[in-house]
Amino acid sequence: NTAVPNDFGVGTQFTYTVKKGDTLGHISQRFLGTASKWNLIADQNNIVDPTKILIGTKLNMTIIDEESAVLAAYQLQPERLIKVQSGDALSKIAQRELGSTKDWKYIWGANKTQISNPNKIVVGQVLKFKDISSLKSKFSGVDIARILEKQFNM
């Protein structure tokens, strides 16, 4: 994972390494907020055939607006794992790990493929999430909740 610079914002450039299953559309959705901006990534990296990007390819990326700054900073945060314990609920985990019960939705959003109902988690289940506290301080005054909720389709 790449550390997020303190001056991360519009115009910031960074490098993303293509992983298994990535497409330019998926990368654009995660970092730019919409899959339809894949051509910006292709153009910036002189990609002639967007259907042929190889795992391990390093893509140059540029933050184009406030939303993409938040999304890119979120994506570049290290992923954390936690095992659900007896008595846990997403809000309890959020309070313990992220400092606020209100942040339960970010844990749910990152685990929607394995949690269909956020009120039903299973002891022993391993959940992934990213610490958004640094985003809150880095982007104070920005509606991070709106941006991430849109990203997680909430």
Side-chain angles (χ1 to χ4, degrees), residues 20-43:
K20 183 177 181 179
D22 276 343
T23 66
L24 290 183
H26 291 131
I27 295 166
S28 178
Q29 177 68 47
R30 286 197 317 264
F31 288 96
L32 304 178
T34 176
S36 66
K37 294 181 182 172
W38 65 267
N39 57 321
L40 297 176
I41 300 169
D43 290 348

Side-chain angles (χ1 to χ4, degrees), residues 17 72 131 147-148:
T17 304
D131 188 348
I147 293 169
L148 292 179

Side-chain angles (χ1 to χ4, degrees), residues 126-149:
V126 177
L127 304 178
K128 62 184 177 184
F129 65 98
K130 297 180 181 219
D131 188 348
I132 62 165
S133 59
S134 65
L135 298 182
K136 290 178 179 179
S137 61
K138 190 177 298 287
F139 297 103
S140 62
V142 175
D143 190 352
I144 294 169
R146 179 194 59 78
I147 293 169
L148 292 179
E149 287 169 16

